[in-house]
Structure formats: C-alpha cells, structure tokens
Amino acid sequence: MTVRVLTRILVLIALTAMGMAVGATVALSAPTHRSAPATLEGHTLCIEATRAAERSQQLAPHLLGAISLAETGRWDRAHRASFAWPWTVMAEGRGRYLPSKAAAIAEVMKLQARGVKNIDVGCMQVNLHYHADAFDNLNEAFDPGTNANYAAAFLRGLKDEVGTWKDAVAYYHSRDDQRGDAYQGRVYDLWYGQRTNLVTVAAGSAVPVTPEAVAADTRRAEMSRDRVRRAEQYRMIKAARAANAEFLRKQRAIIDARNAAAFEARKAQVMAEWEELKRKRAARAGG
C-alpha cells in the first residue's frame, strides 16, 4: 500500500470519526444545487492541496482545510463524513457541485457567456471577479493545488494586514463585521474538530474525550460567547451612531430654522427702514 493511499484512508477515517457535528456545521453554507456523485479521489484532492499549501505558506495545520470545508464542504452519506469538493462553482446565489474539472470549467464558461462575473471556484472558492489576476485560465483556477496555494498566500497577506489569524479568516470571507465574525466562528469550530481528530486517528487511536478535546470545547464556547458580545457591541455602536446622527440632524434643523427666522426679521427691518427713508424723501420733495 502506498503512502498516498494510506494517507487518504487515514484522512477518511478521521473525518468519519468527526461524525454529524462537522457535517451539520458545514451544511449551513455549502452549495446544494446539482450535486455530483461522491468519489474518494475527488474528496481527497482538496485535503491534499490544502495540506501542501499550509506547509508552503507556514500556516497552522488544517486551518486552510477548515476554510475549504466552510467554503465547499458537504456531507457524504456513503462515507459518513464531510469533505470539500474541488469542482464547486458558486454564482447567482446558487452552488453547483460538478462531477469533474471539465464539467466545472464548462459551467463557468456558460455563466461568463451570460455576462455573470461574480463567480467563486474550486476548493477555496476564489472569486474570479475580485481576484481576476489569480489564475491564467480556468484550468489553473480549478487545479486544487494552484487554487489552494493562491488562497493560502491571500490568507497570509490578510494576516500581515490585520495582525491576527482570526481577523484574517473573517476577512477571507467578508470585511463586514457581522458576516466576517459568523464565518470566523464556523471556520474555527471546524478547525478545532479537524485538528483534534485527525492527529488522534493518524496515530492509530480512537477519538477519546481528552483534556485537549475538553479545552477545545471550552475555546469554542468562549469564542461563541465572544461573538455574541461583539455582535451586541456592534449593534449598540450602530444604534449610538444612528442616534447621534439623528441628534445632529435635529440640531442642524433648529439652527437652520433659527438662522432663517433671524434673516427674515432683519430683512423686514431693513425694508421698513427703507420705506421710512423713502417717505421722508417724498415729504421733503413735496415741501
């Protein structure tokens, strides 16, 4: 048995050990339209690509894999595990799981022929519009290794920009606070699950309830509470900004009304003085 085949079997066993929890998490965002039949070969392509990209870009093990699962993961009944799928296309609010690279490329070409530009492709769902210079052609865009390498470099660049991996993961999806926070939470839930189970199963052991697993659960709970707190803070900030904007608008309206009234009063005074001056001149001319 080759190392490559053994690696795939261990990965499959590990992901199976994660059970329904991972599958349920990914299903919140995974495309569901036109699903292709599952194959072990197709499923392992994204896993192998993200692992290689993590090593080349010096990312934490399985972090890019967790993002890939969040982007294209789907629950496979036959293997009872969730996998990322390399031939995934997302456009017009609909996801497509295609059976092969050729089919995925053909699907994108059809979309582009209709003028659709906002299209996400591959293991890491790289957007062809916002990352127009990422790939030379569609064949390269759907190559799992190239797709994952670009995503890994992009993620590292975000980390250099914003300072933390957590914020980089959020920005990978969106710079909107609420959408980015929700995505970050989903990815980190997947990441902790992957990291714990893959390492344990690769060592040839069953998945026990270890102190590390308990700590991971605690971290997830803390992150969940932190997301709730940040969402509430964001809501309060938005409400305060809206209230302040309304106060300034009313204050401006009062000042404008005051200025308008003063202007009208002064204008009436000037006109009255002018009429009095004209009356006096007429009186002198008549005398």
Side-chain angles (χ1 to χ4, degrees):
M1 181 179 292
T2 66
V3 173
R4 182 183 178 89
V5 172
L6 179 59
T7 299
R8 290 180 177 176
I9 292 174
L10 285 174
V11 167
L12 178 58
I13 294 172
L15 290 174
T16 302
M18 279 187 263
M20 287 297 294
V22 171
T25 303
V26 181
L28 296 175
S29 62
T32 57
H33 179 67
R34 291 174 57 178
S35 292
T39 64
L40 182 59
E41 176 71 21
H43 282 322
T44 55
L45 287 175
C46 288
I47 297 172
E48 293 170 352
T50 54
R51 289 296 292 117
E54 286 162 355
R55 288 191 293 269
S56 68
Q57 289 293 327
Q58 297 182 321
L59 306 183
H62 310 303
L63 178 58
L64 199 67
I67 294 175
S68 183
L69 273 176
E71 292 289 340
T72 68
R74 61 172 178 166
W75 178 254
D76 177 48
R77 290 182 180 178
H79 298 123
R80 295 195 58 76
S82 284
F83 299 91
W85 188 248
W87 324 129
T88 303
V89 176
M90 176 70 77
E92 301 176 314
R94 294 188 295 117
R96 296 101 162 142
Y97 284 118
L98 286 305
S100 66
K101 178 194 279 191
I105 290 174
E107 184 71 18
V108 172
M109 291 177 69
K110 287 180 188 176
L111 289 166
Q112 291 176 332
R114 291 198 287 106
V116 179
K117 296 181 179 179
N118 192 6
I119 305 171
D120 299 334
V121 300
C123 296
M124 304 304 303
Q125 290 293 275
V126 178
N127 188 281
L128 296 179
H129 176 65
Y130 295 105
H131 301 271
D133 298 328
F135 313 111
D136 291 336
N137 50 57
L138 290 177
N139 185 66
E140 192 175 88
F142 278 103
D143 175 73
T146 305
N147 191 281
N149 280 331
Y150 179 82
F154 177 62
L155 184 66
R156 174 161 285 283
L158 287 173
K159 193 268 182 182
D160 293 340
E161 175 191 345
V162 300
T164 69
W165 285 112
K166 286 185 178 180
D167 287 338
V169 168
Y171 278 26
Y172 185 92
H173 179 68
S174 174
R175 290 181 182 257
D176 175 81
D177 286 346
Q178 289 181 309
R179 292 176 62 196
D181 283 354
Y183 181 81
Q184 176 201 94
R186 186 160 67 252
V187 168
Y188 270 74
D189 283 346
L190 288 165
W191 184 42
Y192 287 136
Q194 276 197 112
R195 186 172 54 181
T196 302
N197 289 286
L198 280 173
V199 171
T200 303
V201 176
S205 305
V207 180
V209 180
T210 62
E212 291 78 13
V214 173
D217 287 339
T218 302
R219 285 195 297 272
R220 284 196 295 272
E222 288 174 353
M223 287 177 62
S224 179
R225 288 192 293 269
D226 185 57
R227 288 196 300 274
V228 171
R229 284 195 297 269
R230 290 181 62 181
E232 178 61 18
Q233 288 173 352
Y234 182 71
R235 187 194 66 75
M236 292 176 64
I237 289 170
K238 285 181 66 177
R241 286 174 177 169
N244 187 54
E246 179 64 13
F247 170 77
L248 292 175
R249 185 191 67 77
K250 289 180 178 179
Q251 190 178 52
R252 183 75 261 171
I254 292 171
I255 292 172
D256 288 345
R258 225 178 254 164
N259 289 340
F263 174 78
E264 291 298 328
R266 178 58 182 156
K267 183 172 74 171
Q269 181 183 354
V270 170
M271 293 301 297
E273 290 174 353
W274 172 246
E275 291 298 330
E276 178 63 17
L277 181 60
K278 287 197 299 182
R279 187 187 64 74
K280 288 180 178 179
R281 284 178 178 173
R284 284 198 300 268

